[in-house]
Amino acid sequence: ALMTSLAGVIAFIQWEVKPDRWRAVRAVVLAGGTMILMYKSCIVAYGVAITPFAFRSGYRTLVKTLVAVGLLAWLVFPWVAPYLMPYVESEGYLTLTGRLFIWANALDVIAARPIVGSGYDSSKVLLSGFGDFSPGHAHNMWLQAWMCLGLIGTVLLLAILWSFSKVALRYRKLPVGQIAIALIIFGLVRGMTDPSSDLCPPIGLML
């Protein structure tokens, strides 16, 4: 799901920069794949990342994008309904599928060692499980970084992210800069609920 949605963001930017039939087909296929795989954080991050570029290109591109997304949602609904309906009926959205409990647990761990953290990848050991489920990481990139690397590591992470963002903005008029900006947005949005247990998404994406 992550690779498909990332490829979808890149394909959309390429189509927006230079529209043609092949690029449009590629963008639509990857957008549909992102929806079918039903990884909620990837779908939201994909939507947020492409939105500024859809608005930037004017009314026609925005309308085409909205129509394509609407048709894709209608087409893939039979595949996603068996997953979506139990999630709604169980009211899992009220706790973000249990993430609120994981975040509270992560804050307790952070409070014990806020400056230097508990050590790289320590979340796999320190975060409490729920029955047979073990969260493995904080499901939030900033809590994950603070818990494992402490305030020192989190500040360094911000500095690295700021450095990458400045380079992307410097080349924002070029396709490579626009793709970089979209990937940073994607990583930041997805990282609010689903960071990698090994590397913060925006950093991993940009490296």
Side-chain angles (χ1 to χ4, degrees):
L2 176 59
M3 293 298 104
T4 302
S5 52
L6 283 175
V9 170
I10 295 172
F12 181 88
I13 302 301
Q14 290 176 330
W15 168 74
E16 190 271 337
V17 170
K18 187 179 179 181
D20 63 40
R21 184 172 299 177
W22 162 241
R23 293 188 178 195
V25 169
R26 184 172 57 188
V28 168
V29 168
L30 289 169
T34 299
M35 293 182 184
I36 289 174
L37 292 171
M38 270 307 295
Y39 208 86
K40 297 182 291 296
S41 61
C42 288
I43 294 173
V44 173
Y46 170 84
V48 174
I50 69 170
T51 295
F53 299 93
F55 276 98
R56 181 188 66 171
S57 295
Y59 178 75
R60 287 188 177 182
T61 300
L62 179 61
V63 170
K64 289 178 182 178
T65 302
L66 292 175
V67 169
V69 169
L71 287 173
L72 283 173
W74 177 71
L75 288 171
V76 304
F77 184 75
W79 283 275
V80 304
Y83 169 84
L84 188 61
M85 296 312 295
Y87 177 74
V88 174
E89 292 171 357
S90 66
E91 297 185 341
Y93 56 88
L94 295 177
T95 62
L96 300 180
T97 323
R99 284 174 175 81
L100 296 182
F101 301 112
I102 298 172
W103 294 346
N105 189 193
L107 288 170
D108 289 338
V109 176
I110 290 169
R113 303 188 69 179
I115 305 300
V116 297
S118 300
Y120 183 78
D121 227 14
S122 59
S123 57
K124 292 182 179 179
V125 178
L126 296 176
L127 290 178
S128 303
F130 302 92
D132 296 330
F133 172 74
S134 178
H137 57 83
H139 289 267
N140 178 288
M141 65 180 183
W142 302 111
L143 291 178
Q144 176 73 12
W146 196 359
M147 177 173 52
C148 295
L149 307 177
L151 186 60
I152 296 172
T154 305
V155 170
L156 290 174
L157 178 62
L158 279 168
I160 294 171
L161 181 58
W162 174 245
S163 177
F164 279 133
S165 299
K166 286 199 300 182
V167 174
L169 290 171
R170 187 182 306 158
Y171 296 99
R172 61 186 179 277
K173 294 184 179 180
L174 300 177
V176 65
Q178 294 163 16
I179 289 173
I181 291 170
L183 292 182
I184 291 171
I185 294 172
F186 179 97
L188 288 172
V189 173
R190 180 180 178 272
M192 296 306 294
T193 57
D194 278 299
S196 164
S197 58
D198 300 316
L199 195 60
C200 196
I203 306 303
L205 290 174
M206 288 179 281
L207 289 177

